[in-house]
Amino acid sequence: MARTLINAPSTAKRGEVIEIRTTIAHPMETGFRPGDDGKLVPRDTIRRVSCRYNGELVFSAELFSAVAANPYVAFHTVATDSGTLALTWEGDKGFSQTENLNLTVTA
């Protein structure tokens, strides 16, 4: 499991635009950098970040080898109903991690 930091409101008014900011601790090896032995360090990157709000996809991004280590992603969505925001990171070597946040929407 990688360490994640997620900054999102726990409550919002219906129709309010909310910002979700997230970062995940990951080395993001491109596969182009030589190691101490002179051989290329194998590729190990996060390739996709997505967010589902009550099961509906509200954000998705494809990441490439030029993304820095510990990638930071911020995006916005509209608070419609109380429920769960599920953020998922997927990468090389079968890496996948999902973090869930609860959002309470008021009138």
Side-chain angles (χ1 to χ4, degrees), residues 59-82:
F59 175 80
S60 178
E62 298 291 326
L63 305 179
F64 297 93
S65 58
V67 174
N70 309 320
Y72 169 83
V73 176
F75 60 95
H76 297 85
T77 191
V78 177
T80 54
D81 296 305
S82 294

Side-chain angles (χ1 to χ4, degrees), residues 21-103:
R21 295 177 291 178
T22 181
T23 190
I24 186 167
H26 196 279
M28 298 294 278
E29 284 294 345
T30 64
F32 302 121
R33 187 176 65 84
D36 293 335
D37 60 0
K39 296 181 182 177
L40 294 180
V41 176
R43 179 184 167 106
D44 185 12
T45 64
I46 293 175
R47 293 183 176 214
R48 182 178 171 87
V49 179
S50 62
C51 179
R52 292 186 176 274
Y53 182 11
N54 288 336
E56 181 181 340
L57 185 66
V58 294
F59 175 80
S60 178
E62 298 291 326
L63 305 179
F64 297 93
S65 58
V67 174
N70 309 320
Y72 169 83
V73 176
F75 60 95
H76 297 85
T77 191
V78 177
T80 54
D81 296 305
S82 294
T84 303
L85 294 165
L87 286 99
T88 303
W89 295 265
E90 300 170 67
D92 294 329
K93 301 179 182 179
F95 176 82
S96 181
Q97 183 166 331
T98 300
E99 298 287 337
N100 295 311
L101 302 169
N102 291 320
L103 176 65

